[in-house]
Amino acid sequence: MITGSPGIGKTTSAHLCAQLEGYTPIELNASDARSKKLVENGMNVNNTSLDKFIGSHDTNSLGVTITDKTCLIMDEVDGMSSGDRGGVGALNALIKKTQVPIICIANDRQAQKLKPLMATTFNMSFQKPQVAMVRSRILTIAFKEKMKIPANVIDQLIAGAQSDIRQVLNMLSTWKLSSNTMDFDEGKNLAKMNEKYSIMNPFDITSKLLGPYLFSATSRETLGDKMELYFQDHSFVPLFIQENYLKTQPSKLRDLDGPEKVLKQLEIMDRAASSISDGDLVDALIHGPEQHWSLMPLHAVCSTVRPASMIYGAGAHYGGPNSMSFPQYLGQNSKHGKLGRQLADIQIRMRLKVSGDKSEIRQSYLPALFPHIVKPLMDSGASAVDEVIERMDEYYLSKEDWDSVVELGVDQNKDDLVLKKISAATKTALTKKYNSSEHPIPFHKGQNIGKPKKLATEPLPDLEEAYDLDEANEEASDDESRKNSTKILDDISADKLILVSKKKKTSTKTKAKK
């Protein structure tokens, strides 16, 4: 598995290696169909009749000598799209059982679809060549093509193409159609038109910002170009600068020596640290409640560009005594959050006995508890377990809280030093004794509480429907009131001023017949 950036010679190297070993390379790239079915059927790897037909008797159309041995080159493996569904899995199965050598080529080894191939292939990563390595070869090609191009123009083209040799050759071949010469401004414009934008990782960005070139007198990068490095990863780059800005050998101290050099170094370090502090204040405005995102360019200058302009120089790069390191703030911030949660749990349990808040518990109560619940185990060992557990029960502390108290220790009570003085047998005895006995509970946490049963409710009508129903009810109630009123008016029996004769009851006598 060959991985690396585009245009740095991966496919060419694969073809050359196959030819040097006497194999006939057969290349399949993204323009070919590489579905699961075609891969499982062998893809006609041993078919050489078409090559013999197009080329001469012993060579194919590309002039490569045809042998009985073939080598399969799967180019752009990470570009297998939905049309090649199942192709990567079938290729992985083919690699396990075939005797034909297979060279896979990809740009990004960490791609999700290449995971099946990681365990069955040998990784060979190609790095981008340096500008000086590419310059000599491009100058040789330009001389043979009778083009008069200075070396600094070639450097400009290579830097704009991100060391993509193929793209540099394409730019030169296009320029050759109209002119045989190129000055610096023309090269800069050509590189700008064909500039390749690539996302750099924070390590590369930090190395470029703190390196000796970006802020030197010969640098042609503008302030916007330097701020663009910040915006590639605006959350990580300031942290990397803050972690590594003191590891450089500042170029501003090159001509100084003695006490003057030390004083100048302290001065630029102070200015860089002050600028990083200003960046933290701007960051608080950006991520605060008001969220002033328009201050992002100011944050880029204060947290990244200005500190780097103070202390740029050699030093903070890969390897060496002052190699770059990952920001420790991320790990320390996570640890701070964890300890804050543990301290809150201790304060909640101890509040039945004490009245202090979290800060008072941390600063006053825990140092006072340490000689009673930790120190005896260090001095007396397992014989002090009962005493320690009794004192813990007085403040409703659990075994997890005891671990938190040890972890929160500082100075001579730091957890690393304390745990070395407590033997493993003592810690085991404390755990067994605590788990086997009963302890007072300051509060009870509800567990296994089922979800409340939902009451059977009819679906609520839409607002418009409810409004129509209310109008209909109001109209109906008005009609009913009118009808009732007319009935009351028509009924004269309810009027006391009008006397109505009552009907006589007719009684019928029935005689029983005997």
Side-chain angles (χ1 to χ4, degrees):
M1 172 72 74
I2 301 177
T3 57
S5 302
I8 59 176
K10 300 188 299 295
T11 305
T12 304
S13 301
H15 279 270
L16 290 176
C17 290
Q19 294 175 27
L20 288 174
E21 294 298 324
Y23 288 91
T24 302
I26 298 178
E27 179 183 350
L28 295 174
N29 52 35
S31 61
D32 301 306
R34 299 177 290 184
S35 63
K36 179 180 179 181
K37 183 177 180 181
L38 293 177
V39 173
E40 289 177 346
N41 291 337
M43 295 177 293
N44 296 326
V45 174
N46 294 319
N47 186 8
T48 57
S49 60
L50 186 61
D51 288 334
K52 290 183 179 180
F53 177 77
I54 296 177
S56 61
H57 183 71
D58 295 328
T59 61
N60 61 5
S61 58
L62 299 177
V64 179
T65 304
I66 298 175
T67 63
D68 294 334
K69 300 187 297 182
T70 57
C71 175
L72 179 62
I73 299 176
M74 294 290 291
D75 200 358
E76 303 174 20
V77 179
D78 54 346
M80 285 187 171
S81 58
S82 58
D84 303 322
R85 188 178 300 277
V88 175
L91 177 62
N92 187 40
L94 179 65
I95 291 174
K96 293 179 180 179
K97 65 182 180 180
T98 186
Q99 296 183 355
V100 175
I102 299 177
I103 302 176
C104 300
I105 302 175
N107 293 330
D108 183 15
R109 180 167 176 80
Q110 304 301 325
Q112 189 72 18
K113 62 179 66 176
L114 296 184
K115 279 192 173 182
L117 299 177
M118 288 185 180
T120 55
T121 58
F122 175 75
N123 182 30
M124 181 180 294
S125 59
F126 278 36
Q127 303 294 333
K128 285 184 179 180
Q130 300 294 331
V131 175
M133 299 169 61
V134 184
R135 181 199 306 133
S136 59
R137 182 59 180 164
I138 298 299
L139 285 174
T140 303
I141 295 174
F143 175 77
K144 291 183 178 180
E145 293 293 333
K146 299 179 180 180
M147 298 179 68
K148 296 181 179 180
I149 303 177
N152 59 345
V153 179
I154 295 294
D155 292 346
Q156 189 78 15
L157 296 178
I158 297 172
Q162 300 288 337
S163 299
D164 190 337
I165 305 172
R166 181 170 50 203
Q167 186 170 350
V168 175
L169 294 177
N170 289 336
M171 287 191 289
L172 290 178
S173 62
T174 305
W175 188 265
K176 180 72 168 59
L177 298 176
S178 59
S179 177
N180 288 328
T181 60
M182 184 187 302
D183 57 18
F184 185 84
D185 293 333
E186 291 173 340
K188 184 176 181 180
N189 294 331
L190 181 62
K192 191 70 175 176
M193 287 188 298
N194 297 274
E195 187 176 9
K196 178 185 289 188
Y197 293 95
S198 62
I199 301 299
M200 303 169 62
N201 60 53
F203 288 96
D204 294 336
I205 295 174
T206 306
S207 177
K208 188 172 183 178
L209 282 169
L210 299 180
Y213 169 73
L214 193 64
F215 294 94
S216 63
T218 59
S219 174
R220 294 181 177 269
E221 275 78 3
T222 62
L223 177 61
D225 297 334
K226 298 167 185 174
M227 293 171 62
E228 190 67 29
L229 296 174
Y230 160 85
F231 281 105
Q232 288 203 17
D233 197 342
H234 60 84
S235 59
F236 262 164
V237 172
L239 296 178
F240 271 84
I241 295 295
Q242 189 270 335
E243 184 71 26
N244 299 285
Y245 78 103
L246 296 179
K247 297 182 178 180
T248 61
Q249 300 172 6
S251 299
K252 294 182 179 181
L253 308 177
R254 188 178 304 160
D255 300 330
L256 302 178
D257 195 9
E260 186 181 1
K261 179 179 180 180
V262 176
L263 185 61
K264 183 66 176 178
Q265 184 176 6
L266 290 175
E267 180 184 349
I268 61 177
M269 287 166 56
D270 174 63
R271 294 169 63 185
S274 300
S275 181
I276 293 175
S277 300
D278 294 339
D280 290 339
L281 296 177
V282 177
D283 183 70
L285 294 176
I286 294 174
H287 295 94
E290 298 181 359
Q291 295 189 353
H292 295 288
W293 295 101
S294 59
L295 297 177
M296 290 284 286
L298 178 60
H299 186 246
V301 173
C302 293
S303 65
T304 303
V305 178
R306 193 164 180 265
S309 67
M310 307 284 184
I311 43 82
Y312 72 93
H317 303 292
Y318 299 107
N322 291 332
S323 59
M324 277 189 296
S325 58
F326 195 79
Q328 297 182 10
Y329 165 79
L330 299 174
Q332 296 296 331
N333 186 45
S334 175
K335 183 178 180 181
H336 175 267
K338 184 190 74 170
L339 294 178
R341 293 189 298 269
Q342 293 176 352
L343 183 61
D345 293 339
I346 294 175
Q347 190 263 337
I348 290 174
R349 290 177 175 274
M350 292 180 62
R351 64 183 179 179
L352 295 178
K353 289 288 186 177
V354 301
S355 59
D357 57 4
K358 282 177 60 176
S359 60
E360 293 175 345
I361 294 290
R362 178 70 184 88
Q363 299 173 12
S364 302
Y365 285 91
L366 291 187
L369 275 175
F370 190 89
H372 300 281
I373 65 174
V374 180
K375 187 72 172 173
L377 298 177
M378 299 168 58
D379 298 336
S380 305
S383 60
V385 167
D386 295 334
E387 177 188 352
V388 169
I389 293 178
E390 182 180 357
R391 188 57 60 91
M392 289 169 58
D393 290 342
E394 290 181 6
Y395 290 94
Y396 302 98
L397 296 178
S398 63
K399 177 61 173 59
E400 291 76 14
D401 297 330
W402 184 88
D403 295 334
S404 301
V405 171
V406 174
E407 192 173 1
L408 287 167
V410 294
D411 199 19
Q412 71 271 14
N413 296 333
K414 192 171 177 59
D415 55 347
D416 295 338
L417 301 176
V418 170
L419 293 177
K420 287 181 181 178
K421 297 179 181 179
I422 301 177
S423 63
T426 303
K427 288 185 283 188
T428 303
L430 176 65
T431 304
K432 289 183 177 180
K433 182 68 175 178
Y434 188 88
N435 293 335
S436 61
S437 57
E438 296 181 354
H439 309 282
I441 301 176
F443 53 85
H444 179 70
K445 291 183 178 180
Q447 296 178 352
N448 298 327
I449 300 177
K451 295 182 179 179
K453 295 182 179 179
K454 293 184 178 180
L455 299 176
T457 56
E458 297 181 357
L460 297 175
D462 189 50
L463 292 178
E464 296 181 357
E465 296 177 359
Y467 181 72
D468 295 339
L469 290 174
D470 292 340
E471 287 185 346
N473 292 334
E474 290 177 359
E475 293 176 357
S477 61
D478 293 340
D479 295 340
E480 290 177 0
S481 60
R482 291 194 195 97
K483 291 180 182 179
N484 293 333
S485 60
T486 53
K487 286 182 180 180
I488 293 172
L489 292 175
D490 294 340
D491 189 7
I492 59 174
S493 60
D495 195 347
K496 295 181 179 180
L497 300 177
I498 301 175
L499 298 176
V500 182
S501 58
K502 296 181 181 180
K503 295 180 180 181
K504 295 181 179 180
K505 296 181 181 180
T506 57
S507 58
T508 56
K509 296 181 179 180
T510 57
K511 295 181 179 180
K513 297 181 180 180
K514 295 182 180 179

